Amino acid sequence: MEYEVKVIPEQKLGVINCKTPISDLGVFLSMLMGWVDAEEIETEDEPFIVYFSPRHEVNQGDAVYDVSIAIKEDADETDKIRVVDMIANKVLAGKHYGPTDNILDTYAELVEVAQENHYDIIGSPKEVLVRSFHNCDDENEFITEIQLPIIEM
């Protein structure tokens, strides 16, 4: 597996907090991207999901997660979308290709890389939707970058 350690700089984010079945993810992603388009907000990168529920349990009932996107400037909040500041953080990043049905295999590989390199995973995983249902019609062409926040031991 190809991976890299990188520092995610301080960012301003548009965020929707969710506690719903993960099957609702598309609704919240559409809402977030609709806000970006309607308000003509300049973004810094692709949208992403931060999972606060264990990733292996998100398909079982309600999951707790944020749907977010980095934005260049402050923007007006809505009743569902908040604008927050995120501090810089170091992550171990690796890419998953194709449908997310087997994404836990990629997580396992990334955790193994973390252990082999003495990285301590210190927070919730983030999935950057590089190519996903918001910008790609074919699941086989999906690209999801998994980012695990780390410190080096």
Side-chain angles (χ1 to χ4, degrees):
M1 159 182 256
E2 291 183 35
Y3 67 90
E4 66 178 315
V5 172
K6 58 185 176 180
V7 175
I8 306 300
E10 186 175 299
Q11 298 175 313
K12 189 165 294 296
L13 306 176
V15 179
I16 300 175
N17 305 116
C18 306
K19 183 178 181 185
T20 67
I22 199 64
S23 58
D24 292 347
L25 173 61
V27 172
F28 292 108
L29 184 58
S30 292
M31 187 183 305
L32 184 66
M33 300 311 289
W35 172 74
V36 165
D37 289 342
E39 299 294 322
E40 298 179 350
I41 297 168
E42 287 189 69
T43 61
E44 303 251 355
D45 207 349
E46 297 298 332
F48 60 89
I49 314 305
V50 176
Y51 291 98
F52 300 105
S53 294
R55 183 60 176 93
H56 64 280
E57 294 177 1
V58 299
N59 294 328
Q60 304 166 11
D62 283 353
V64 179
Y65 58 98
D66 285 350
V67 180
S68 307
I69 194 162
I71 58 178
K72 291 189 177 185
E73 299 177 0
D74 251 334
D76 292 333
E77 296 184 347
T78 71
D79 60 328
K80 295 258 189 231
I81 302 171
R82 296 179 309 118
V83 175
V84 301
D85 293 313
M86 173 62 101
I87 61 171
N89 59 92
K90 186 181 286 189
V91 299
L92 174 63
K95 290 195 172 125
H96 175 81
Y97 297 93
T100 58
D101 300 343
N102 64 341
I103 198 166
L104 292 180
D105 296 339
T106 306
Y107 271 92
E109 289 181 55
L110 211 49
V111 168
E112 190 174 306
V113 167
Q115 292 170 339
E116 289 171 357
N117 290 282
H118 307 286
Y119 303 141
D120 194 11
I121 299 169
I122 59 167
S124 298
K126 174 176 161 181
E127 293 180 9
V128 181
L129 307 177
V130 178
R131 291 189 78 183
S132 191
F133 51 91
H134 73 287
N135 62 1
C136 180
D137 293 329
D138 184 353
E139 278 188 351
N140 293 316
E141 295 180 10
F142 283 8
I143 301 172
T144 306
E145 182 178 83
I146 300 168
Q147 295 180 356
L148 303 176
I150 61 165
I151 56 173
E152 297 179 50
M153 301 301 284

